[in-house]
Amino acid sequence: MKKNSLLIVICCWFLTSFSQEFNCRVTVNAQKLTGEYASQVNKDLFKTLEQGITSFINDRKWTEYSFSSEEKIDCSLQFVIESADAPNSFSGKMYIQMSRPVFNSTYYSPVFAFQDNDLSFKYSENQMFEYDESSYLWTVTSLVAFYANFMLAITFDTYGNRGGDAFYTKCANIVATVPNGEAGWETNSKNSRNRYWLLESYTNSANMSFRNFLYQYHRLGLDLMAKDLNAGYEGVLHSLQMLKDLYKQRTNVYAINILGMYKADELVNMFSVASDDQKQRAVDILKIIDPSNIEKYSQIK
């Protein structure tokens, strides 16, 4: 009996210690596929691709850390395939969303959302999902690995001040392996909203206040609310003031410019039940750093 109990404990420890980091929902949508070769494509190919990407991100061990089931990163990757440029060559868009659990609650806070308009790759039936951190083997695996590490970086930033350094470095290493001319990775592209510039907006030393914001907002703001609501509000307000200070210096920080895409609704819901003073302070800051959502923020008051 004692031996069996010990075996159970060891097995549970093993499963917990090596549990994967992501709970990712992957969809590959090719319902509106166009292009010269669209009629030649077997749509079952995309179901196989969806299953392969799901396994690649969810079953792979991306870090040395242990993640319990409730600590896994909740996210979604949506691939919208729009064109068949050759029998095995496709292009379209990709949507990335992720959220983070708030301490002592059942609430998940959105921490990132992005629309990648430079999806372009080749894929054939039964193609292996080859990946190597030090080389560029296939567009799809490098693409998914980039966003997996990017989401890890953001997650670790929300739990520790600038805690995501190692994962931003991995993202940069992936970018460095990409051959010249690959869509979405170019440093000299006119598209300032591709993967390279997204990473640059988070890692540029002049923008470090944004990463400080991630920690202040989540760990020293939202995570405190269950225990001390007022302290939580003040933590969030302090984080917003940090963004305002950065915005006044650098209005074109892309990380700030897309913040309202995934945080506006949360901020409205949060501050709608705050004190009058906290409401006013929040609105005064938000209308400066996120003018595109002024109408939403007016609901706070």
Side-chain angles (χ1 to χ4, degrees):
M1 178 65 74
K2 288 184 178 180
K3 288 184 178 180
N4 289 338
S5 298
L6 180 60
L7 180 61
I8 291 172
V9 170
I10 292 173
C11 288
C12 289
W13 173 85
F14 181 88
L15 291 172
T16 302
S17 299
F18 294 92
S19 60
Q20 284 72 21
E21 298 85 353
F22 289 95
N23 176 25
C24 186
R25 298 167 298 282
V26 178
T27 58
V28 178
N29 185 335
Q31 293 180 356
K32 298 182 178 179
L33 187 67
T34 62
E36 181 180 354
Y37 297 90
S39 61
Q40 301 178 28
V41 177
N42 181 354
K43 296 295 181 64
D44 290 340
L45 185 73
F46 299 114
K47 180 56 65 176
T48 304
L49 176 62
E50 179 179 288
Q51 293 168 348
I53 296 173
T54 300
S55 178
F56 179 68
I57 189 169
N58 285 331
D59 297 342
R60 183 182 181 85
K61 194 77 178 75
W62 296 93
T63 77
E64 61 186 14
Y65 301 101
S66 174
F67 281 60
S68 64
S69 58
E70 59 271 14
E71 291 172 336
K72 286 189 177 185
I73 297 172
D74 188 77
C75 62
S76 65
L77 302 178
Q78 181 182 5
F79 296 77
V80 179
I81 316 300
E82 299 174 332
S83 177
D85 308 310
N88 67 335
S89 182
F90 308 98
S91 59
K93 295 182 176 66
M94 180 181 177
Y95 301 89
I96 305 95
Q97 291 182 311
M98 65 173 294
S99 59
R100 166 205 191 277
V102 174
F103 283 11
N104 299 314
S105 79
T106 58
Y107 177 66
Y108 278 73
S109 173
V111 291
F112 180 67
F114 185 64
Q115 178 177 315
D116 187 324
N117 294 320
D118 294 300
L119 182 63
S120 180
F121 65 97
K122 292 182 179 180
Y123 177 62
S124 301
E125 189 174 4
N126 298 320
Q127 183 167 342
M128 298 293 292
F129 277 70
E130 297 179 298
Y131 176 66
D132 187 318
E133 287 189 353
S134 61
S135 60
Y136 187 83
L137 300 178
W138 183 31
T139 303
V140 172
T141 50
S142 287
L143 179 68
V144 175
F146 173 84
Y147 283 117
N149 281 292
F150 195 79
M151 288 188 286
L152 282 165
I154 292 174
T155 298
F156 275 75
D157 268 356
T158 67
Y159 287 113
N161 201 14
R162 303 186 189 182
D165 282 347
F167 302 105
Y168 288 119
T169 298
K170 287 189 176 185
C171 290
N173 291 341
I174 292 171
V175 173
T177 67
V178 178
N180 291 333
E182 287 282 338
W185 306 95
E186 308 95 330
T187 62
N188 60 348
S189 172
K190 294 180 180 179
N191 177 14
S192 61
R193 298 190 173 189
N194 65 13
R195 288 155 224 145
Y196 172 84
W197 291 109
L198 173 67
L199 178 62
E200 196 275 343
S201 72
Y202 277 74
T203 56
N204 187 319
S205 59
N207 301 340
M208 282 300 102
S209 292
F210 184 83
R211 291 180 58 195
N212 297 340
F213 154 80
L214 290 174
Y215 174 66
Q216 175 70 40
Y217 181 99
H218 296 93
R219 189 68 189 94
L220 303 181
L222 290 186
D223 283 346
L224 300 183
M225 287 189 167
K227 183 177 180 180
D228 187 334
L229 187 60
N230 187 65
Y233 274 122
E234 291 302 318
V236 170
L237 283 166
H238 180 60
S239 74
L240 295 177
Q241 182 62 50
M242 293 165 63
L243 280 192
K244 179 183 174 182
D245 294 342
L246 174 60
Y247 186 81
K248 284 185 174 180
Q249 299 171 21
R250 298 169 60 84
T251 58
N252 63 342
V253 177
Y254 188 42
I256 296 179
N257 294 340
I258 64 174
L259 186 71
M261 182 191 310
Y262 55 92
K263 280 296 189 188
D265 289 339
E266 176 177 85
L267 287 161
V268 170
N269 292 333
M270 183 192 315
F271 281 101
S272 292
V273 292
S275 69
D276 289 343
D277 173 67
Q278 290 165 336
K279 287 181 181 181
Q280 186 63 58
R281 289 157 60 196
V283 172
D284 287 346
I285 296 174
L286 292 169
K287 69 182 182 182
I288 293 174
I289 65 174
D290 188 19
S292 63
N293 283 307
I294 283 180
E295 288 190 12
K296 276 191 177 182
Y297 297 133
S298 67
Q299 300 172 30
I300 292 175
K301 299 170 61 177

PDB file of all heavy atoms in Angstrom, residues 226-254:
ATOM      1  N   ALA A 226      -9.256  41.631  -4.935  1.00  0.00           N
ATOM      2  CA  ALA A 226     -10.050  40.720  -4.102  1.00  0.00           C
ATOM      3  C   ALA A 226      -9.776  40.945  -2.621  1.00  0.00           C
ATOM      4  O   ALA A 226     -10.665  40.798  -1.778  1.00  0.00           O
ATOM      5  CB  ALA A 226      -9.751  39.271  -4.483  1.00  0.00           C
ATOM      6  N   LYS A 227      -8.561  41.340  -2.306  1.00  0.00           N
ATOM      7  CA  LYS A 227      -8.163  41.550  -0.910  1.00  0.00           C
ATOM      8  C   LYS A 227      -8.394  42.983  -0.452  1.00  0.00           C
ATOM      9  O   LYS A 227      -8.847  43.241   0.664  1.00  0.00           O
ATOM     10  CB  LYS A 227      -6.694  41.181  -0.742  1.00  0.00           C
ATOM     11  CG  LYS A 227      -6.177  41.282   0.681  1.00  0.00           C
ATOM     12  CD  LYS A 227      -4.728  40.834   0.757  1.00  0.00           C
ATOM     13  CE  LYS A 227      -4.204  40.940   2.189  1.00  0.00           C
ATOM     14  NZ  LYS A 227      -2.779  40.501   2.286  1.00  0.00           N
ATOM     15  N   ASP A 228      -8.065  43.957  -1.323  1.00  0.00           N
ATOM     16  CA  ASP A 228      -8.178  45.379  -0.969  1.00  0.00           C
ATOM     17  C   ASP A 228      -8.562  46.144  -2.223  1.00  0.00           C
ATOM     18  O   ASP A 228      -7.705  46.508  -3.031  1.00  0.00           O
ATOM     19  CB  ASP A 228      -6.847  45.885  -0.408  1.00  0.00           C
ATOM     20  CG  ASP A 228      -6.933  47.299   0.146  1.00  0.00           C
ATOM     21  OD1 ASP A 228      -7.803  48.066  -0.297  1.00  0.00           O
ATOM     22  OD2 ASP A 228      -6.111  47.655   1.017  1.00  0.00           O
ATOM     23  N   LEU A 229      -9.858  46.366  -2.404  1.00  0.00           N
ATOM     24  CA  LEU A 229     -10.377  46.954  -3.639  1.00  0.00           C
ATOM     25  C   LEU A 229      -9.768  48.321  -3.929  1.00  0.00           C
ATOM     26  O   LEU A 229      -9.350  48.609  -5.052  1.00  0.00           O
ATOM     27  CB  LEU A 229     -11.905  47.064  -3.557  1.00  0.00           C
ATOM     28  CG  LEU A 229     -12.622  47.505  -4.839  1.00  0.00           C
ATOM     29  CD1 LEU A 229     -12.347  46.532  -5.980  1.00  0.00           C
ATOM     30  CD2 LEU A 229     -14.130  47.612  -4.593  1.00  0.00           C
ATOM     31  N   ASN A 230      -9.700  49.153  -2.905  1.00  0.00           N
ATOM     32  CA  ASN A 230      -9.183  50.503  -3.118  1.00  0.00           C
ATOM     33  C   ASN A 230      -7.710  50.469  -3.523  1.00  0.00           C
ATOM     34  O   ASN A 230      -7.288  51.210  -4.428  1.00  0.00           O
ATOM     35  CB  ASN A 230      -9.349  51.347  -1.852  1.00  0.00           C
ATOM     36  CG  ASN A 230      -8.972  52.798  -2.078  1.00  0.00           C
ATOM     37  OD1 ASN A 230      -9.626  53.513  -2.841  1.00  0.00           O
ATOM     38  ND2 ASN A 230      -7.903  53.256  -1.448  1.00  0.00           N
ATOM     39  N   ALA A 231      -6.925  49.594  -2.880  1.00  0.00           N
ATOM     40  CA  ALA A 231      -5.513  49.467  -3.241  1.00  0.00           C
ATOM     41  C   ALA A 231      -5.369  48.982  -4.686  1.00  0.00           C
ATOM     42  O   ALA A 231      -4.460  49.418  -5.413  1.00  0.00           O
ATOM     43  CB  ALA A 231      -4.806  48.505  -2.290  1.00  0.00           C
ATOM     44  N   GLY A 232      -6.269  48.106  -5.107  1.00  0.00           N
ATOM     45  CA  GLY A 232      -6.244  47.624  -6.480  1.00  0.00           C
ATOM     46  C   GLY A 232      -6.507  48.739  -7.475  1.00  0.00           C
ATOM     47  O   GLY A 232      -5.802  48.871  -8.477  1.00  0.00           O
ATOM     48  N   TYR A 233      -7.523  49.544  -7.176  1.00  0.00           N
ATOM     49  CA  TYR A 233      -7.826  50.683  -8.062  1.00  0.00           C
ATOM     50  C   TYR A 233      -6.645  51.639  -8.146  1.00  0.00           C
ATOM     51  O   TYR A 233      -6.292  52.119  -9.223  1.00  0.00           O
ATOM     52  CB  TYR A 233      -9.054  51.433  -7.552  1.00  0.00           C
ATOM     53  CG  TYR A 233     -10.367  50.868  -8.045  1.00  0.00           C
ATOM     54  CD1 TYR A 233     -11.348  50.433  -7.146  1.00  0.00           C
ATOM     55  CD2 TYR A 233     -10.640  50.769  -9.400  1.00  0.00           C
ATOM     56  CE1 TYR A 233     -12.555  49.912  -7.588  1.00  0.00           C
ATOM     57  CE2 TYR A 233     -11.842  50.251  -9.855  1.00  0.00           C
ATOM     58  CZ  TYR A 233     -12.794  49.820  -8.946  1.00  0.00           C
ATOM     59  OH  TYR A 233     -13.986  49.308  -9.398  1.00  0.00           O
ATOM     60  N   GLU A 234      -6.045  51.927  -7.005  1.00  0.00           N
ATOM     61  CA  GLU A 234      -4.920  52.861  -6.993  1.00  0.00           C
ATOM     62  C   GLU A 234      -3.728  52.290  -7.757  1.00  0.00           C
ATOM     63  O   GLU A 234      -3.001  53.028  -8.428  1.00  0.00           O
ATOM     64  CB  GLU A 234      -4.524  53.194  -5.554  1.00  0.00           C
ATOM     65  CG  GLU A 234      -5.553  54.036  -4.816  1.00  0.00           C
ATOM     66  CD  GLU A 234      -5.845  55.364  -5.514  1.00  0.00           C
ATOM     67  OE1 GLU A 234      -4.892  56.018  -5.991  1.00  0.00           O
ATOM     68  OE2 GLU A 234      -7.047  55.732  -5.592  1.00  0.00           O
ATOM     69  N   GLY A 235      -3.539  50.977  -7.682  1.00  0.00           N
ATOM     70  CA  GLY A 235      -2.474  50.345  -8.443  1.00  0.00           C
ATOM     71  C   GLY A 235      -2.694  50.472  -9.937  1.00  0.00           C
ATOM     72  O   GLY A 235      -1.762  50.750 -10.703  1.00  0.00           O
ATOM     73  N   VAL A 236      -3.935  50.252 -10.379  1.00  0.00           N
ATOM     74  CA  VAL A 236      -4.265  50.389 -11.794  1.00  0.00           C
ATOM     75  C   VAL A 236      -4.096  51.843 -12.245  1.00  0.00           C
ATOM     76  O   VAL A 236      -3.538  52.126 -13.310  1.00  0.00           O
ATOM     77  CB  VAL A 236      -5.698  49.894 -12.074  1.00  0.00           C
ATOM     78  CG1 VAL A 236      -6.122  50.258 -13.491  1.00  0.00           C
ATOM     79  CG2 VAL A 236      -5.784  48.388 -11.866  1.00  0.00           C
ATOM     80  N   LEU A 237      -4.561  52.782 -11.436  1.00  0.00           N
ATOM     81  CA  LEU A 237      -4.431  54.202 -11.790  1.00  0.00           C
ATOM     82  C   LEU A 237      -2.963  54.609 -11.897  1.00  0.00           C
ATOM     83  O   LEU A 237      -2.583  55.381 -12.790  1.00  0.00           O
ATOM     84  CB  LEU A 237      -5.149  55.072 -10.754  1.00  0.00           C
ATOM     85  CG  LEU A 237      -6.670  55.101 -10.878  1.00  0.00           C
ATOM     86  CD1 LEU A 237      -7.307  55.684  -9.619  1.00  0.00           C
ATOM     87  CD2 LEU A 237      -7.100  55.899 -12.109  1.00  0.00           C
ATOM     88  N   HIS A 238      -2.154  54.084 -11.002  1.00  0.00           N
ATOM     89  CA  HIS A 238      -0.718  54.385 -11.072  1.00  0.00           C
ATOM     90  C   HIS A 238      -0.131  53.857 -12.374  1.00  0.00           C
ATOM     91  O   HIS A 238       0.698  54.526 -13.016  1.00  0.00           O
ATOM     92  CB  HIS A 238       0.006  53.781  -9.875  1.00  0.00           C
ATOM     93  CG  HIS A 238       1.481  54.031  -9.864  1.00  0.00           C
ATOM     94  ND1 HIS A 238       2.022  55.301  -9.828  1.00  0.00           N
ATOM     95  CD2 HIS A 238       2.537  53.177  -9.904  1.00  0.00           C
ATOM     96  CE1 HIS A 238       3.343  55.226  -9.841  1.00  0.00           C
ATOM     97  NE2 HIS A 238       3.670  53.939  -9.879  1.00  0.00           N
ATOM     98  N   SER A 239      -0.559  52.669 -12.786  1.00  0.00           N
ATOM     99  CA  SER A 239      -0.049  52.091 -14.032  1.00  0.00           C
ATOM    100  C   SER A 239      -0.485  52.931 -15.234  1.00  0.00           C
ATOM    101  O   SER A 239       0.286  53.122 -16.185  1.00  0.00           O
ATOM    102  CB  SER A 239      -0.537  50.646 -14.185  1.00  0.00           C
ATOM    103  OG  SER A 239      -1.911  50.579 -14.530  1.00  0.00           O
ATOM    104  N   LEU A 240      -1.714  53.440 -15.215  1.00  0.00           N
ATOM    105  CA  LEU A 240      -2.193  54.276 -16.310  1.00  0.00           C
ATOM    106  C   LEU A 240      -1.431  55.593 -16.379  1.00  0.00           C
ATOM    107  O   LEU A 240      -1.158  56.113 -17.465  1.00  0.00           O
ATOM    108  CB  LEU A 240      -3.689  54.537 -16.161  1.00  0.00           C
ATOM    109  CG  LEU A 240      -4.604  53.309 -16.286  1.00  0.00           C
ATOM    110  CD1 LEU A 240      -6.057  53.700 -16.045  1.00  0.00           C
ATOM    111  CD2 LEU A 240      -4.453  52.648 -17.656  1.00  0.00           C
ATOM    112  N   GLN A 241      -1.075  56.124 -15.212  1.00  0.00           N
ATOM    113  CA  GLN A 241      -0.265  57.342 -15.186  1.00  0.00           C
ATOM    114  C   GLN A 241       1.108  57.088 -15.811  1.00  0.00           C
ATOM    115  O   GLN A 241       1.652  57.947 -16.525  1.00  0.00           O
ATOM    116  CB  GLN A 241      -0.097  57.841 -13.747  1.00  0.00           C
ATOM    117  CG  GLN A 241       0.686  59.144 -13.620  1.00  0.00           C
ATOM    118  CD  GLN A 241       0.017  60.307 -14.329  1.00  0.00           C
ATOM    119  OE1 GLN A 241      -1.179  60.555 -14.138  1.00  0.00           O
ATOM    120  NE2 GLN A 241       0.777  61.017 -15.165  1.00  0.00           N
ATOM    121  N   MET A 242       1.665  55.903 -15.600  1.00  0.00           N
ATOM    122  CA  MET A 242       2.932  55.542 -16.214  1.00  0.00           C
ATOM    123  C   MET A 242       2.811  55.555 -17.734  1.00  0.00           C
ATOM    124  O   MET A 242       3.705  56.046 -18.439  1.00  0.00           O
ATOM    125  CB  MET A 242       3.367  54.153 -15.734  1.00  0.00           C
ATOM    126  CG  MET A 242       3.715  54.082 -14.260  1.00  0.00           C
ATOM    127  SD  MET A 242       3.800  52.373 -13.624  1.00  0.00           S
ATOM    128  CE  MET A 242       5.134  51.721 -14.584  1.00  0.00           C
ATOM    129  N   LEU A 243       1.692  55.037 -18.243  1.00  0.00           N
ATOM    130  CA  LEU A 243       1.469  55.045 -19.689  1.00  0.00           C
ATOM    131  C   LEU A 243       1.310  56.464 -20.216  1.00  0.00           C
ATOM    132  O   LEU A 243       1.819  56.797 -21.295  1.00  0.00           O
ATOM    133  CB  LEU A 243       0.219  54.229 -20.038  1.00  0.00           C
ATOM    134  CG  LEU A 243       0.323  52.715 -20.099  1.00  0.00           C
ATOM    135  CD1 LEU A 243      -0.921  52.137 -20.751  1.00  0.00           C
ATOM    136  CD2 LEU A 243       1.559  52.268 -20.858  1.00  0.00           C
ATOM    137  N   LYS A 244       0.607  57.280 -19.470  1.00  0.00           N
ATOM    138  CA  LYS A 244       0.408  58.668 -19.882  1.00  0.00           C
ATOM    139  C   LYS A 244       1.755  59.386 -19.993  1.00  0.00           C
ATOM    140  O   LYS A 244       1.995  60.123 -20.968  1.00  0.00           O
ATOM    141  CB  LYS A 244      -0.493  59.390 -18.883  1.00  0.00           C
ATOM    142  CG  LYS A 244      -0.732  60.859 -19.217  1.00  0.00           C
ATOM    143  CD  LYS A 244      -1.582  61.531 -18.133  1.00  0.00           C
ATOM    144  CE  LYS A 244      -1.706  63.032 -18.378  1.00  0.00           C
ATOM    145  NZ  LYS A 244      -2.481  63.686 -17.301  1.00  0.00           N
ATOM    146  N   ASP A 245       2.635  59.168 -19.035  1.00  0.00           N
ATOM    147  CA  ASP A 245       3.953  59.795 -19.063  1.00  0.00           C
ATOM    148  C   ASP A 245       4.752  59.344 -20.281  1.00  0.00           C
ATOM    149  O   ASP A 245       5.425  60.154 -20.935  1.00  0.00           O
ATOM    150  CB  ASP A 245       4.722  59.475 -17.780  1.00  0.00           C
ATOM    151  CG  ASP A 245       4.094  60.097 -16.542  1.00  0.00           C
ATOM    152  OD1 ASP A 245       3.290  61.044 -16.694  1.00  0.00           O
ATOM    153  OD2 ASP A 245       4.385  59.613 -15.425  1.00  0.00           O
ATOM    154  N   LEU A 246       4.669  58.033 -20.598  1.00  0.00           N
ATOM    155  CA  LEU A 246       5.368  57.512 -21.776  1.00  0.00           C
ATOM    156  C   LEU A 246       4.750  58.068 -23.050  1.00  0.00           C
ATOM    157  O   LEU A 246       5.466  58.455 -23.983  1.00  0.00           O
ATOM    158  CB  LEU A 246       5.314  55.985 -21.780  1.00  0.00           C
ATOM    159  CG  LEU A 246       5.889  55.282 -23.024  1.00  0.00           C
ATOM    160  CD1 LEU A 246       7.367  55.632 -23.217  1.00  0.00           C
ATOM    161  CD2 LEU A 246       5.708  53.765 -22.916  1.00  0.00           C
ATOM    162  N   TYR A 247       3.415  58.121 -23.095  1.00  0.00           N
ATOM    163  CA  TYR A 247       2.703  58.592 -24.280  1.00  0.00           C
ATOM    164  C   TYR A 247       3.059  60.045 -24.606  1.00  0.00           C
ATOM    165  O   TYR A 247       3.181  60.425 -25.770  1.00  0.00           O
ATOM    166  CB  TYR A 247       1.199  58.451 -24.059  1.00  0.00           C
ATOM    167  CG  TYR A 247       0.360  58.769 -25.275  1.00  0.00           C
ATOM    168  CD1 TYR A 247       0.172  57.820 -26.277  1.00  0.00           C
ATOM    169  CD2 TYR A 247      -0.259  60.010 -25.423  1.00  0.00           C
ATOM    170  CE1 TYR A 247      -0.604  58.100 -27.390  1.00  0.00           C
ATOM    171  CE2 TYR A 247      -1.029  60.297 -26.530  1.00  0.00           C
ATOM    172  CZ  TYR A 247      -1.202  59.340 -27.512  1.00  0.00           C
ATOM    173  OH  TYR A 247      -1.960  59.627 -28.613  1.00  0.00           O
ATOM    174  N   LYS A 248       3.231  60.856 -23.592  1.00  0.00           N
ATOM    175  CA  LYS A 248       3.584  62.262 -23.813  1.00  0.00           C
ATOM    176  C   LYS A 248       4.968  62.387 -24.449  1.00  0.00           C
ATOM    177  O   LYS A 248       5.228  63.320 -25.206  1.00  0.00           O
ATOM    178  CB  LYS A 248       3.545  63.027 -22.492  1.00  0.00           C
ATOM    179  CG  LYS A 248       2.141  63.347 -22.001  1.00  0.00           C
ATOM    180  CD  LYS A 248       2.180  64.204 -20.749  1.00  0.00           C
ATOM    181  CE  LYS A 248       0.790  64.660 -20.341  1.00  0.00           C
ATOM    182  NZ  LYS A 248       0.822  65.510 -19.117  1.00  0.00           N
ATOM    183  N   GLN A 249       5.836  61.420 -24.145  1.00  0.00           N
ATOM    184  CA  GLN A 249       7.183  61.437 -24.708  1.00  0.00           C
ATOM    185  C   GLN A 249       7.229  60.805 -26.095  1.00  0.00           C
ATOM    186  O   GLN A 249       7.956  61.262 -26.971  1.00  0.00           O
ATOM    187  CB  GLN A 249       8.143  60.693 -23.784  1.00  0.00           C
ATOM    188  CG  GLN A 249       8.279  61.286 -22.394  1.00  0.00           C
ATOM    189  CD  GLN A 249       9.081  60.368 -21.478  1.00  0.00           C
ATOM    190  OE1 GLN A 249       9.845  59.507 -21.910  1.00  0.00           O
ATOM    191  NE2 GLN A 249       8.896  60.538 -20.173  1.00  0.00           N
ATOM    192  N   ARG A 250       6.430  59.736 -26.279  1.00  0.00           N
ATOM    193  CA  ARG A 250       6.487  58.953 -27.521  1.00  0.00           C
ATOM    194  C   ARG A 250       5.068  58.521 -27.891  1.00  0.00           C
ATOM    195  O   ARG A 250       4.586  57.485 -27.458  1.00  0.00           O
ATOM    196  CB  ARG A 250       7.371  57.717 -27.329  1.00  0.00           C
ATOM    197  CG  ARG A 250       8.817  58.033 -26.995  1.00  0.00           C
ATOM    198  CD  ARG A 250       9.581  56.785 -26.560  1.00  0.00           C
ATOM    199  NE  ARG A 250       9.602  55.755 -27.588  1.00  0.00           N
ATOM    200  CZ  ARG A 250      10.467  55.708 -28.593  1.00  0.00           C
ATOM    201  NH1 ARG A 250      11.378  56.657 -28.723  1.00  0.00           N
ATOM    202  NH2 ARG A 250      10.438  54.716 -29.471  1.00  0.00           N
ATOM    203  N   THR A 251       4.406  59.328 -28.697  1.00  0.00           N
ATOM    204  CA  THR A 251       2.999  59.065 -29.035  1.00  0.00           C
ATOM    205  C   THR A 251       2.830  57.896 -30.002  1.00  0.00           C
ATOM    206  O   THR A 251       1.719  57.403 -30.191  1.00  0.00           O
ATOM    207  CB  THR A 251       2.350  60.308 -29.660  1.00  0.00           C
ATOM    208  OG1 THR A 251       3.095  60.696 -30.829  1.00  0.00           O
ATOM    209  CG2 THR A 251       2.330  61.468 -28.675  1.00  0.00           C
ATOM    210  N   ASN A 252       3.921  57.450 -30.615  1.00  0.00           N
ATOM    211  CA  ASN A 252       3.810  56.398 -31.632  1.00  0.00           C
ATOM    212  C   ASN A 252       4.216  55.021 -31.125  1.00  0.00           C
ATOM    213  O   ASN A 252       4.576  54.146 -31.913  1.00  0.00           O
ATOM    214  CB  ASN A 252       4.662  56.765 -32.848  1.00  0.00           C
ATOM    215  CG  ASN A 252       6.148  56.854 -32.513  1.00  0.00           C
ATOM    216  OD1 ASN A 252       6.497  56.976 -31.340  1.00  0.00           O
ATOM    217  ND2 ASN A 252       7.010  56.804 -33.516  1.00  0.00           N
ATOM    218  N   VAL A 253       4.187  54.805 -29.817  1.00  0.00           N
ATOM    219  CA  VAL A 253       4.514  53.473 -29.281  1.00  0.00           C
ATOM    220  C   VAL A 253       3.379  52.525 -29.644  1.00  0.00           C
ATOM    221  O   VAL A 253       2.250  52.664 -29.152  1.00  0.00           O
ATOM    222  CB  VAL A 253       4.719  53.528 -27.755  1.00  0.00           C
ATOM    223  CG1 VAL A 253       4.986  52.123 -27.212  1.00  0.00           C
ATOM    224  CG2 VAL A 253       5.875  54.459 -27.404  1.00  0.00           C
ATOM    225  N   TYR A 254       3.686  51.550 -30.501  1.00  0.00           N
ATOM    226  CA  TYR A 254       2.635  50.687 -31.025  1.00  0.00           C
ATOM    227  C   TYR A 254       1.953  49.881 -29.923  1.00  0.00           C
ATOM    228  O   TYR A 254       0.749  49.646 -29.966  1.00  0.00           O
ATOM    229  CB  TYR A 254       3.235  49.749 -32.085  1.00  0.00           C
ATOM    230  CG  TYR A 254       2.202  48.936 -32.825  1.00  0.00           C
ATOM    231  CD1 TYR A 254       1.003  49.519 -33.242  1.00  0.00           C
ATOM    232  CD2 TYR A 254       2.411  47.595 -33.101  1.00  0.00           C
ATOM    233  CE1 TYR A 254       0.054  48.780 -33.919  1.00  0.00           C
ATOM    234  CE2 TYR A 254       1.469  46.846 -33.780  1.00  0.00           C
ATOM    235  CZ  TYR A 254       0.292  47.444 -34.175  1.00  0.00           C
ATOM    236  OH  TYR A 254      -0.653  46.708 -34.842  1.00  0.00           O
TER     237      TYR A 254
END
